[in-house]
Amino acid sequence: MEVLSLVQTRRLALVRAGLLRPDWADFPTGSIGGEKKARAAAMTVVRRFGYLQLDTVSTAGARSHVLVLLSRLPGFPPALGEALLQPGEPLFEYWGHEACWMPMELYPAFHFRRQAYRRHPWWGDLLGQHPQVARRLRRRVRQQGPLRSIEMEGEGSRGWWDLKVAKKVATALWSSGEWSIRRRRNFQRSFDLTERVIPETWRKRRCSKAEAFDLLLLQALEGHGWATTGTLAATWRLRNCRPDLEASLRRLQEKGLIQACGRENSGGRPQKGWIRCQDLELADRVRRLRPRSARGVLLSPFDPLLWDRARVAALFDFDQVLEIFKPAPQRKYGYYCLPVLTGEQLLARVDLKADRKAGRLNLLNLHYEGTETSRPPNATARKAAETALDRYSEAVELSWRR
């Protein structure tokens, strides 16, 4: 079995993510201008991973899906990042590892999930439990057109996940594939009939479950570079289907598309994983790279490089913790921290709060790795954090200060 060093694995992950040698990743390298060019650049990023995870939190001045694009595309307009999903665009919204925007060509691969989600994975048989609500919603959308979440009837309930019955039923109709998300405006979803959102070409295509698994696992490896079976499964929420997962990995291996590959482990035995055969040469090239370390970039906590916490710890020796749900006194780093990447290291994390009225990006906390104080351990970390904040504040058109 081929075995990669930790350095190779880390650099391969960064290259495939477009964060180290973007030219090697076939990402745009210059500043992009104009909406058409910016949309095409954004689709390059989405197609690399197969998804762009969505998140509601905008306290740092931009939501996660916009942050992912800003970190890779110099000059990308933040407002466009919120409006990528529009009628006619080659994107659809669905469940990946979380709610994501995905390239339209993956729509047939989720046929198995739409079938499985006829019973909602969290709430059970909502359509069977609330048939009258489902009928009213279906009739309204068919006769009156797209329906926004805030337009649904019914009174809200207390509790973070205790949504209105109508909203739950609408989510069930979407999860089962009967409805699709037409667009998002101010992050509000508009539901519509799937036949009015997804082009017929893609609706009529059918992937068997085996074909879907093969396609999705290859897509996951395209974004990760090297990954364990667990990371591949988590990328698409492929839980409780180990036999299907293992059968797919065997098929891909027999076709010469992937290869079993280990990663050097301080514990002794290499950690088992997988790599696309075409990436083995790239893994050799990255071994000779000399990454620059002065220029920093802020990453979303839900960046494709960071959402798998165990993987981040293994590759970067970095505890990717999210403290949104902790009471303020219990937080170590802050409410919504953005890690600072420089070269191939995560050297710091910043907690930001945007004040649009004042035109400021307030720096609430700046934590440098390896120290329990705000004093940077060296000039490289200080410079990386400053350049990352400068770059991000310019992108969101806010001035930053402590």
Side-chain angles (χ1 to χ4, degrees):
M1 182 174 64
E2 189 87 20
V3 177
L4 303 182
S5 69
L6 174 59
V7 169
Q8 281 179 289
T9 313
R10 180 170 60 239
R11 290 179 182 176
L12 180 61
L14 287 164
V15 167
R16 296 306 300 163
L19 293 166
L20 192 68
R21 290 300 302 259
D23 55 328
W24 288 11
D26 299 322
F27 276 23
T29 55
S31 181
I32 57 177
E35 181 174 334
K36 185 176 181 180
K37 189 175 180 180
R39 280 188 178 276
M43 283 305 302
T44 300
V45 176
V46 177
R47 286 193 169 104
R48 165 53 48 83
F49 304 108
Y51 59 86
L52 185 61
Q53 183 180 338
L54 303 175
D55 188 66
T56 61
V57 180
S58 60
T59 186
R63 293 185 176 91
S64 177
H65 43 290
V66 180
L67 283 162
V68 171
L69 299 173
L70 294 179
S71 64
R72 290 159 173 84
L73 304 174
F76 186 83
L80 179 58
E82 292 287 1
L84 283 179
L85 185 67
Q86 296 288 335
E89 292 299 325
L91 286 172
F92 72 103
E93 182 172 328
Y94 198 58
W95 295 112
H97 60 283
E98 297 293 347
C100 300
W101 287 339
M102 303 183 201
M104 192 64 76
E105 51 264 31
L106 286 185
Y107 185 82
F110 287 94
H111 177 66
F112 79 95
R113 176 154 295 161
R114 292 188 290 272
Q115 287 187 312
Y117 281 11
R118 287 173 181 171
R119 288 181 60 90
H120 197 276
W122 304 322
W123 302 318
D125 185 17
L126 280 171
L127 303 182
Q129 295 167 10
H130 304 283
Q132 291 184 345
V133 175
R135 280 196 297 271
R136 286 200 302 268
L137 287 173
R138 287 180 176 121
R139 184 169 57 248
R140 181 171 176 180
V141 167
R142 185 168 293 280
Q143 295 176 353
Q144 300 178 24
L147 178 65
R148 290 189 300 163
S149 299
I150 59 174
E151 295 171 339
M152 292 180 196
E153 60 189 358
E155 297 182 359
S157 303
R158 296 180 181 178
W160 188 263
W161 295 109
D162 190 6
L163 307 177
K164 303 175 186 178
V165 170
K167 283 189 176 182
K168 286 184 178 181
V169 171
T171 301
L173 289 167
W174 165 59
S175 299
S176 69
E178 190 172 336
W179 282 3
S180 292
I181 308 300
R182 186 172 184 82
R183 62 159 57 90
R184 279 187 182 261
R185 184 174 295 161
N186 298 324
F187 209 66
Q188 283 285 331
R189 297 182 295 183
S190 290
F191 296 98
D192 202 352
L193 302 178
T194 291
E195 58 262 36
R196 297 200 293 231
V197 176
I198 306 298
E200 184 178 13
T201 302
W202 298 111
R203 292 200 317 273
K204 286 192 171 181
R205 290 193 187 183
R206 287 288 185 268
C207 274
S208 67
K209 193 173 185 181
E211 291 170 332
F213 271 53
D214 290 0
L215 178 61
L216 292 174
L217 293 181
L218 275 177
Q219 179 70 71
L221 277 173
E222 183 178 352
H224 292 311
W226 175 92
T228 64
T229 301
T231 291
L232 294 177
T235 303
W236 304 112
R237 203 186 282 239
L238 302 177
R239 299 169 181 163
N240 304 319
C241 49
R242 190 81 182 186
D244 292 310
L245 194 64
E246 291 178 347
S248 179
L249 291 169
R250 284 195 301 271
R251 280 193 302 272
L252 293 172
Q253 194 172 16
E254 290 166 0
K255 292 177 181 178
L257 297 174
I258 69 172
Q259 182 173 320
C261 181
R263 177 185 62 77
E264 287 182 357
N265 193 340
S266 58
R269 288 185 178 181
Q271 185 175 18
K272 293 181 180 179
W274 302 91
I275 190 172
R276 296 189 307 167
C277 294
Q278 67 200 76
D279 285 334
L280 285 170
E281 185 270 339
L282 181 57
D284 185 59
R285 290 170 68 193
V286 298
R287 187 166 46 86
R288 298 186 291 273
L289 266 178
R290 293 292 179 268
R292 290 179 294 177
S293 58
R295 183 173 170 80
V297 60
L298 297 186
L299 300 181
S300 160
F302 303 116
D303 191 279
L305 187 72
L306 299 179
W307 59 258
D308 187 333
R309 187 175 176 182
R311 183 169 182 263
V312 176
L315 296 186
F316 297 94
D317 191 24
F318 185 88
D319 183 15
Q320 175 47 30
V321 59
L322 191 65
E323 299 183 298
I324 286 178
F325 302 110
K326 286 185 179 180
Q330 297 178 21
R331 294 176 194 144
K332 180 178 180 180
Y333 305 115
Y335 176 76
Y336 191 78
C337 281
L338 310 183
V340 178
L341 173 72
T342 179
E344 60 182 306
Q345 295 179 290
L346 294 168
L347 291 183
R349 57 189 99 202
V350 298
D351 187 26
L352 302 172
K353 187 174 179 62
D355 185 344
R356 287 285 175 188
K357 289 184 178 179
R360 289 197 299 265
L361 190 64
N362 296 314
L363 178 59
L364 305 182
N365 191 23
L366 171 56
H367 177 89
Y368 293 94
E369 296 302 297
T371 176
E372 295 304 314
T373 70
S374 60
R375 177 177 299 175
N378 53 52
T380 297
R382 182 193 298 113
K383 182 65 175 176
E386 289 177 356
T387 57
L389 285 164
D390 287 341
R391 175 179 173 180
Y392 177 68
S393 63
E394 181 180 359
V396 296
E397 299 180 328
L398 296 171
S399 61
W400 72 273
R401 68 177 182 86
R402 279 189 178 276

